[in-house]
Amino acid sequence: MTEEQGQAAQPEKKEKKSLSLNVVSSKKHKGFGAGSIDLSDVACVIIDEGVAYIDVGAMHAKSKVERGIKFTPNKEDTPNGRQCWIVWVAVERSEEGSYYAGATACEMLIDTEARRGWKILADHVNKLDYAIKRRYILGELGEVEKAALHKLLVEHNQEWWERSPDELKQALSV
């Protein structure tokens, strides 16, 4: 009790630190939550019917083609699905400037009419990890998809493309 008012004193409330996986912050810190994955330098590219475009919703499986689709790990459940790709593209900055430092492609089948799709989530997660680790895994893409991705990367930033390693340029040569 406080002497003046004759009432019990209220204890101070402490703010609790919430444990959350911060996947898009570019903040550098060594305190609580350190070691979380930083995806701020990763772009999501969708290739659908020969057209490549950036769709940030793909990071959380909410891209334009994925919205409203129920996914299954069984390819047989999506017999009429069209082939779509998510390409994870990592950008890094060197002394000369930014460049495309990693790129990996993941296949999906989408049947918009039936609202069904096929993808292997573990493959998507692993390929995202490989892009972050500066690898290029684009061998599964067909010529049309490679051409579409090449066009998008060059149009998005010609200088980044020019500074990118020959490994990427060779992987996307048609």
Side-chain angles (χ1 to χ4, degrees):
M1 285 199 189
T2 59
E3 294 176 22
E4 300 161 354
Q5 299 170 346
Q7 297 176 1
Q10 296 291 325
E12 286 186 38
K13 291 184 179 179
K14 290 185 179 180
E15 285 188 41
K16 288 186 179 180
K17 290 183 181 180
S18 66
L19 179 60
S20 63
L21 180 60
N22 189 353
V23 295
V24 291
S25 173
S26 60
K27 219 193 299 186
K28 304 287 185 215
H29 64 88
K30 294 181 182 178
F32 185 79
S36 59
I37 301 168
D38 182 7
L39 300 177
S40 60
D41 295 329
V42 177
C44 312
V45 175
I46 300 291
I47 304 174
D48 186 15
E49 298 180 328
V51 177
Y53 58 92
I54 297 172
D55 190 333
V56 294
M59 189 64 72
H60 300 287
K62 294 183 189 294
S63 67
K64 179 181 164 188
V65 295
E66 294 172 292
R67 271 186 244 132
I69 302 295
K70 180 176 175 156
F71 285 95
T72 175
N74 301 320
K75 210 170 195 174
E76 306 82 40
D77 294 343
T78 314
N80 300 321
R82 72 181 185 280
Q83 189 179 48
C84 297
W85 296 87
I86 292 180
V87 181
W88 307 108
V89 180
V91 177
E92 190 169 296
R93 185 166 183 77
S94 68
E95 291 178 10
E96 294 84 37
S98 296
Y99 64 97
Y100 300 116
T104 56
C106 312
E107 182 183 14
M108 296 187 294
L109 294 179
I110 304 289
D111 185 345
T112 308
E113 190 175 306
R115 299 176 66 113
R116 306 270 308 162
W118 166 83
K119 68 179 175 181
I120 305 295
L121 184 59
D123 181 50
H124 287 240
V125 172
N126 288 334
K127 296 274 179 75
L128 171 59
D129 183 53
Y130 295 151
I132 291 169
K133 291 177 177 171
R134 310 309 186 232
R135 296 182 189 169
Y136 300 101
I137 304 174
L138 302 168
E140 295 178 3
L141 294 175
E143 288 186 19
V144 172
E145 290 82 11
K146 286 180 182 181
L149 180 59
H150 176 270
K151 180 180 182 227
L152 175 78
L153 295 177
V154 170
E155 287 177 357
H156 181 71
N157 195 312
Q158 176 77 34
E159 292 176 3
W160 291 5
W161 174 257
E162 290 170 3
R163 285 190 286 268
S164 295
D166 288 338
E167 184 181 354
L168 174 63
K169 296 172 185 173
Q170 290 169 1
L172 293 180
S173 64
V174 204

